[in-house]
Amino acid sequence: MTNSIEDLEEADCILAIGSNTTEGHPIVGLRIKRAVMRDDCKLIVAEPRHIRLCYYAQQWLRHRPGSDVALLNGMMNVILSEGLEDEEFIRERCEGFKEFKKVVEEYTPERAAEICGVEADDIRRAARTFATADSAAIVYAMGITQHTTGVDNVLSLANLAMLTGNLGKEGAGVNPLRGQNNVQGACDMGALPNVFTGYQPVTDAAVRDRFEHAWDVDYLPGNPGLTLMEMMDGAHKGDIDVLYIMGENPVISDPDVEHLKEALDKVDFLVVQDIFLTETARYADVVFPAASFAEKEGTFTNTDRRVQRVRKAIEPPGEARDDSWIIAQIASRLEYDMGDVSAPRVMDEIASLTPSYGGVSYARLEEGAITWPCPDAGHPGTPILHIEKFTKGKGLFSPVEYKPPAEMPDEEYPLILTTGRLLTHYHTGTMTRRVRELDELVPRNRVWVNPADAERLGVEEGQEVAVQSRRGAIKLEARVTEKVGEGVVFVPFHFGESPANALTNPALDPVAKIPEYKVAAVRILTGKSMAGIEYSISTI
Amino acid sequence: MEKIHMNIDGKDIETTSDRTILEAARENGLRIPSLCNEQRMEPYGACRICLVEVEGARGLLPACYTTVTDGMVVRTATDELMRIRRTILELILSDHPKDCMTCESTGNCELQDLAYEYGVKDHRFRGEEHHYEVLADNPLIERDYDKCILCGRCIRICREVQGVGVYDFVNRGFDSVPGIPYNKPMMESPCEFCGQCVSTCPTGAIISIPSKGKGRTWQVEKVRTTCPYCGCGCQLDLHVRDGEIVEVSSPVMVGPGQGNLCVKGRYGYPFVHHEDRLTRPLIRKGGELVPAGWEEALETVSKHLRKAMDGKGPDSIAFLSSARCTNEENYLLQKLARAVVGTNNVDHCARL
Ligand code: SF4
Ligand code: SF4
Ligand code: SF4
Ligand code: FES
């Protein structure tokens, strides 16, 4: 997030797009609701499904899944044609405006409406509300990124923020909500194939030099490594001999489960380090029992870049050990001494090698959270980014054209499937589905079907149906509800017994390599036509 | 907002004009009793326990509801005020079960604390007492309106903070309680099971079912940590007794949630103690994963890593790190990949 969670309450307008905030990020959702209830903030929700946030919104734009760029270009077209842009901000702080403008001029609200399914006048109204607010914040989540056009979607949101001068000030900003507790931290720490900590590129010889020196090794590789999807493809081709997975469960979270399972089968040697024998761990050759969050010291970095402490409250069960110890043991058996791997000492090492974490230390964290960038011990941290200027010089407008999702509905597979989260469960369900009370609240998976589609298909509330895509099929109960639009069905992805990702499309965004979870073509089967469909990868 | 000077109980203090008397006192370490007030909500001014004397004002004023002015002189503990507070407490206790022995909130009850402080042992008022049925119509939240003091905090936090509005005062007069309209069970209401109402209820009227009977506040150790679920990063206090997490709360006005949580953060902790937890390393032998010792497991893994490094080379090895693990662990894993094995094949599931 460029701005902090608290700062959302300062916004005069919030555009929540591709984020079911009250369920995916409940406490951010709470701030948005309060901004609306207490301070008359105008909320615009752009989302194919009717989500709880819609009750608080001044305007709900139900655009078709995967049509975000068209909708946003349409809004920006209105802003430009009505002269609502922030000329000074564009002149002083941005570049690339002309090329961008040329593209946006093609997207009249009428044309955008045709693509995204939102009335032209509603696009106009949303554009005016956003552009005329003193400060307008954008909040988005996986509904924006999990598309083959994910990067385009994000660039369009940056365009909108720059066009209206909504960066680097209170109550504004572009605010991605990260899915899991420490996605931000995992990225910051260089758990990425192309960068060390703090996004320092592995291709930069000077950076490598610094790390070689600090880590006391002669050589660090300078070629970017493989992304998760590429690793799996590599495994298929027989290029990957050993795969070492710490604390992840891709067998449920990966798109195209079948492809992934084959990949795991092909790998010569699979190591999984986790707290449960997950669907993924079942494929392992060696499983290490790890400690849970309550059993170790450390830090998480949340979605607004706040580094916060994790503290040990209890002992790990049996012989389970924390991940740091396990990693150091492996290192030492490969003749590398990691030294003291206690959390405070490791953080000192991180701080010494990572400019944005330079001022982070356990002594300071005792006083409270630190928001990076925090370059040195005396620095207070940075809750709002880009205040006077962008970190990288000028803000660059990107001309972005609408591109349809990789797989569109057709005669054979006439419905659009979109996937997402529920409030009560979390990610692949390994944790929440093992909490009896939570599982009682939401015990099973359901596919949401619009009443019109249901009627056409002869599907009733509570009936068992199968959802099938070109990649797989799952069986589950139908929930007939207006909350999804006609032609769209929704399946949450927390349930191993009917995994949504057996259906999703592994087509990737060409740059970010994020799969298109939010759009796949499916059909619904009932009665006899479901025969033979029995799909479960659940271990719970 | 201007700076102002005032005096509370003979102490000169400086504060700002947007504060209430209660807030100004609190910030300066002076305690005025309160019941219907809580920092997460707007002042309400219903219980009158916070009445104070303000020089020059007609009548007594609720400290939680009165904003400060420059030169204000406040007395919080005159004989008259003490008498009034005692009467208020006696009135409340006249229709309150005195089963503190078994009440879930003992030691963590604002009513009990005030009764103790003001020495209100029994009550002079004998009258009709309520006997409601205890409502446990869902797996998480239990309501016992016999213990309700009608402070309205549950209603207001659900409406003002959570933005849901499950409760409202139902029935009239003497029978008024903060119920769910039409007596609907919680599961059929729009309740999100955030437990915000549990966290604010000053008595034992609304409690969390999973922590019932698991430990008094002085029997648990509270460990401050960060929620392991979504990216909001709410601050949690894990209540630990004999090596078991028995409850989770969130410190008020601290962290992104300011004391508010969602259902996962507040009630999602028991997975930690689930019987499915892995407790020993496992090694595949004859197609089956069987328990093994650490030494053997670590050796097996290092041997395979070494073999691949020396064979096809470091790039035939790939690491998946975790958005669930700590920063330090992620750092060490990419260090293992890069410095020890010699590959940049390290990623995590951020994209998923
Ligand atoms: S749990 Fe949350 S949503 Fe439910 S009644 Fe209490 S405050 Fe309201
Ligand atoms: S249930 Fe608790 S919070 Fe609600 S009005 Fe009664 S005492 Fe107050
Ligand atoms: S309590 Fe809920 S909103 Fe807060 S971090 Fe945990 S999962 Fe997210
Ligand atoms: S605390 Fe002031 S009236 Fe209740």
Side-chain angles (χ1 to χ4, degrees):
Chain A
M1 291 170 79
T2 61
N3 291 47
S4 69
I5 294 175
E6 286 87 339
D7 185 63
L8 283 172
E9 287 194 38
E10 308 297 322
D12 296 308
C13 172
I14 297 175
L15 169 65
I17 181 164
S19 159
N20 180 6
T21 327
T22 61
E23 302 202 46
H25 301 86
I27 288 300
V28 173
L30 191 141
R31 295 276 177 180
I32 296 176
K33 290 189 275 189
R34 297 232 300 180
V36 172
M37 293 188 300
R38 288 226 292 220
D39 303 313
D40 291 328
C41 165
K42 298 188 178 77
L43 173 65
I44 304 167
V45 174
E47 169 69 40
R49 271 192 303 145
H50 185 276
I51 52 177
R52 274 215 172 169
L53 222 43
C54 297
Y55 293 118
Y56 307 82
Q58 189 188 61
Q59 230 189 319
W60 169 36
L61 310 172
R62 173 178 258 178
H63 62 309
R64 294 196 181 102
S67 67
D68 305 81
V69 167
L71 171 67
L72 293 165
N73 276 352
M75 283 174 66
M76 291 190 281
N77 179 292
V78 174
I79 291 171
L80 282 171
S81 64
E82 299 190 0
L84 301 174
E85 73 271 26
D86 185 336
E87 280 171 30
E88 193 192 321
F89 189 90
I90 299 169
R91 199 174 49 238
E92 304 287 319
R93 299 194 46 184
C94 308
E95 56 193 18
F97 181 65
K98 265 205 205 113
E99 297 78 358
F100 154 78
K101 190 171 169 199
K102 236 172 77 196
V103 168
V104 165
E105 273 168 352
E106 304 293 314
Y107 288 82
T108 60
E110 281 69 25
R111 176 165 170 234
E114 220 164 274
I115 304 172
C116 72
V118 176
E119 300 281 330
D121 277 344
D122 290 335
I123 298 179
R124 285 197 181 88
R125 202 173 129 220
R128 288 178 198 135
T129 308
F130 190 89
T132 55
D134 285 339
S135 63
I138 298 169
V139 170
Y140 72 88
M142 278 71 74
I144 278 292
T145 53
Q146 290 177 343
H147 288 282
T148 43
T149 56
V151 168
D152 286 351
N153 293 348
V154 172
L155 291 174
S156 296
L157 291 173
N159 286 342
L160 177 61
M162 288 190 291
L163 186 66
T164 51
N166 275 305
L167 279 166
K169 64 178 189 187
E170 275 187 13
V174 179
N175 301 293
L177 305 177
R178 315 302 302 258
Q180 302 183 56
N181 57 334
N182 203 30
V183 181
Q184 184 67 53
C187 295
D188 297 348
M189 290 303 109
L192 290 169
N194 57 339
V195 290
F196 293 104
T197 62
Y199 310 93
Q200 305 174 79
V202 296
T203 48
D204 183 334
V207 169
R208 283 204 307 279
D209 207 53
R210 233 156 53 81
F211 276 85
E212 280 162 11
H213 190 76
W215 289 347
D216 196 19
V217 291
D218 300 334
Y219 165 81
L220 286 171
N223 57 314
L226 303 176
T227 63
L228 164 62
M229 295 291 149
E230 291 164 345
M231 288 176 194
M232 295 310 156
D233 290 341
H236 260 270
K237 282 188 256 151
D239 295 343
I240 298 295
D241 287 347
V242 182
L243 182 59
Y244 192 123
I245 303 179
M246 170 173 85
E248 291 280 10
N249 187 16
V251 169
I252 292 198
S253 60
D254 200 276
D256 202 356
V257 174
E258 279 309 310
H259 179 80
L260 182 100
K261 289 201 287 192
E262 280 165 36
L264 294 184
D265 267 337
K266 285 222 173 120
V267 166
D268 275 353
F269 194 74
L270 176 64
V271 187
V272 174
Q273 188 164 311
D274 212 315
I275 62 174
F276 291 113
L277 193 63
T278 59
E279 291 77 0
T280 305
R282 309 227 143 191
Y283 288 82
D285 296 288
V286 171
V287 181
F288 290 135
S292 78
F293 83 108
E295 295 147 9
K296 60 194 177 192
E297 305 287 340
T299 53
F300 291 149
T301 303
N302 81 341
T303 192
D304 69 4
R305 295 171 281 108
R306 218 180 292 224
V307 185
Q308 304 186 108
R309 276 300 312 275
V310 173
R311 290 189 181 83
K312 179 170 175 166
I314 52 174
E315 290 300 325
E319 293 173 28
R321 301 296 297 252
D322 61 76
D323 296 281
S324 299
W325 180 85
I326 303 172
I327 296 166
Q329 284 293 318
I330 296 288
S332 79
R333 282 169 164 77
L334 296 173
E335 280 134 49
Y336 184 93
D337 182 7
M338 284 196 169
D340 172 10
V341 289
S342 68
R345 215 284 306 159
V346 175
M347 183 50 84
D348 289 343
E349 184 176 326
I350 294 166
S352 72
L353 285 164
T354 316
S356 52
Y357 277 68
V360 179
S361 70
Y362 273 54
R364 252 186 94 177
L365 287 170
E366 280 308 305
E367 313 288 307
I370 302 173
T371 303
W372 72 258
C374 174
D376 56 66
H379 193 283
T382 315
I384 301 181
L385 288 179
H386 315 304
I387 289 211
E388 307 239 298
K389 56 181 176 48
F390 291 106
T391 19
K392 293 187 189 107
K394 295 240 169 182
L396 181 63
F397 277 103
S398 325
V400 182
E401 294 276 4
Y402 163 75
K403 292 185 210 76
E407 190 179 62
M408 288 293 264
D410 53 22
E411 266 181 23
E412 238 186 309
Y413 295 92
L415 299 165
I416 296 183
L417 164 77
T418 182
T419 67
R421 294 162 190 266
L422 301 175
L423 171 64
T424 312
H425 287 299
Y426 179 72
H427 215 58
T428 63
T430 35
M431 287 147 63
T432 49
R433 302 233 30 231
R434 285 192 172 86
V435 177
R436 185 175 46 81
E437 293 85 1
L438 299 187
D439 212 46
E440 269 175 44
L441 291 182
V442 183
R444 62 185 164 276
N445 206 1
R446 296 194 293 175
V447 50
W448 302 19
V449 187
N450 181 276
D453 293 323
E455 192 175 327
R456 212 163 18 78
L457 294 160
V459 168
E460 279 172 28
E461 172 81 18
Q463 181 182 335
E464 184 172 62
V465 299
V467 184
Q468 188 174 42
S469 76
R470 291 191 171 81
R471 290 153 296 274
I474 58 174
K475 258 196 209 165
L476 70 179
E477 202 179 289
R479 171 178 181 197
V480 178
T481 170
E482 300 270 0
K483 289 186 188 295
V484 286
E486 221 180 310
V488 178
V489 296
F490 168 74
V491 179
F493 71 100
H494 312 294
F495 301 84
E497 59 273 29
S498 48
N501 292 329
L503 309 170
T504 44
N505 189 352
L508 301 181
D509 178 277
V511 182
K513 317 267 178 174
I514 298 179
E516 188 143 64
Y517 286 106
K518 298 294 180 193
V519 188
V522 297
R523 61 184 172 207
I524 286 188
L525 306 177
T526 54
K528 285 207 184 86
S529 59
M530 300 197 284
I533 295 173
E534 205 46 77
Y535 200 108
S536 174
I537 47 178
S538 178
T539 59
I540 298 170
Chain B
M1 193 181 5
E2 340 150 21
K3 263 206 188 112
I4 61 138
H5 297 268
M6 62 181 299
N7 183 292
I8 302 180
D9 290 339
K11 187 176 171 187
D12 286 322
I13 63 172
E14 192 186 284
T15 179
T16 48
S17 58
D18 60 335
R19 297 289 194 265
T20 62
I21 298 176
L22 186 66
E23 286 164 344
R26 222 179 250 154
E27 282 165 14
N28 286 279
L30 300 167
R31 212 165 43 78
I32 300 173
S34 65
L35 275 174
C36 67
N37 190 265
E38 208 241 88
Q39 293 175 78
R40 288 177 285 178
M41 293 166 252
E42 300 295 328
Y44 188 53
C47 74
R48 309 317 252 189
I49 199 88
C50 69
L51 286 180
V52 292
E53 200 179 287
V54 174
E55 227 165 67
R58 240 187 298 138
L60 303 169
L61 298 175
C64 69
Y65 211 81
T66 313
T67 37
V68 296
T69 53
D70 198 34
M72 194 181 240
V73 177
V74 180
R75 271 179 289 275
T76 74
T78 62
D79 288 347
E80 189 196 2
L81 289 172
M82 299 305 263
R83 204 165 45 240
I84 292 174
R85 285 185 197 140
R86 235 172 256 127
T87 307
I88 293 173
L89 290 170
E90 281 168 358
L91 272 169
I92 295 175
L93 288 178
S94 72
D95 184 19
H96 195 93
K98 275 153 272 335
D99 66 349
C100 299
M101 296 247 216
T102 50
C103 178
E104 191 53 34
S105 291
T106 279
N108 187 25
C109 172
E110 295 174 32
L111 178 63
Q112 192 184 48
D113 289 349
L114 288 177
Y116 168 73
E117 185 176 342
Y118 287 82
V120 182
K121 200 173 164 118
D122 212 340
H123 48 84
R124 291 170 290 152
F125 309 96
R126 296 267 162 217
E128 205 186 327
E129 288 179 20
H130 281 108
H131 291 291
Y132 294 102
E133 200 185 329
V134 176
L135 298 169
D137 49 21
N138 68 88
L140 294 169
I141 296 172
E142 182 179 290
R143 295 171 288 153
D144 178 357
Y145 290 127
D146 284 355
K147 294 178 180 167
C148 174
I149 61 168
L150 303 178
C151 66
R153 277 159 67 167
C154 55
I155 299 178
R156 285 177 291 132
I157 204 161
C158 188
R159 197 179 288 160
E160 279 175 38
V161 176
Q162 192 63 16
V164 176
V166 168
Y167 305 119
D168 205 343
F169 281 117
V170 295
N171 310 334
R172 283 180 183 273
F174 178 68
D175 289 326
S176 180
V177 284
I180 301 177
Y182 309 108
N183 278 328
K184 269 200 199 159
M186 279 190 118
M187 297 281 268
E188 286 165 33
S189 78
C191 176
E192 298 176 344
F193 294 97
C194 61
Q196 254 70 277
C197 52
V198 177
S199 75
T200 197
C201 181
T203 70
I206 309 185
I207 59 163
S208 291
I209 295 172
S211 47
K212 259 175 87 174
K214 294 266 181 80
R216 295 290 189 203
T217 173
W218 59 85
Q219 291 171 320
V220 299
E221 186 201 352
K222 288 187 193 163
V223 181
R224 177 75 43 89
T225 192
T226 302
C227 178
Y229 286 106
C230 86
C232 293
C234 296
Q235 294 299 288
L236 307 180
D237 281 338
L238 306 181
H239 301 206
V240 180
R241 185 179 186 202
D242 300 334
E244 189 194 350
I245 302 171
V246 294
E247 190 174 2
V248 166
S249 61
S250 183
V252 173
M253 306 317 275
V254 175
Q258 303 277 285
N260 303 304
L261 297 173
C262 80
V263 62
K264 296 183 287 287
R266 197 181 298 279
Y267 296 113
Y269 58 89
F271 77 89
V272 165
H273 301 297
H274 197 279
E275 57 180 15
D276 287 353
R277 279 291 301 273
L278 290 168
T279 56
R280 296 186 62 188
L282 305 172
I283 299 184
R284 189 169 297 278
K285 286 180 185 162
E288 293 284 307
L289 281 170
V290 295
W294 271 107
E295 192 51 40
E296 188 189 354
L298 289 165
E299 266 311 309
T300 312
V301 171
S302 341
K303 234 179 39 219
H304 277 87
L305 287 170
R306 171 59 70 198
K307 200 173 96 199
M309 283 159 75
D310 294 345
K312 260 194 232 163
D315 285 341
S316 65
I317 299 171
F319 291 86
L320 271 186
S321 197
S322 176
R324 325 298 328 284
C325 291
T326 63
N327 287 328
E328 291 77 3
E329 289 158 349
N330 275 287
Y331 173 81
L332 291 175
L333 193 78
Q334 59 94 36
K335 186 174 176 182
L336 177 68
R338 294 188 161 118
V340 184
V341 170
T343 179
N344 282 316
N345 289 343
V346 53
D347 199 5
H348 65 283
C349 294
R351 301 177 178 87
L352 306 183

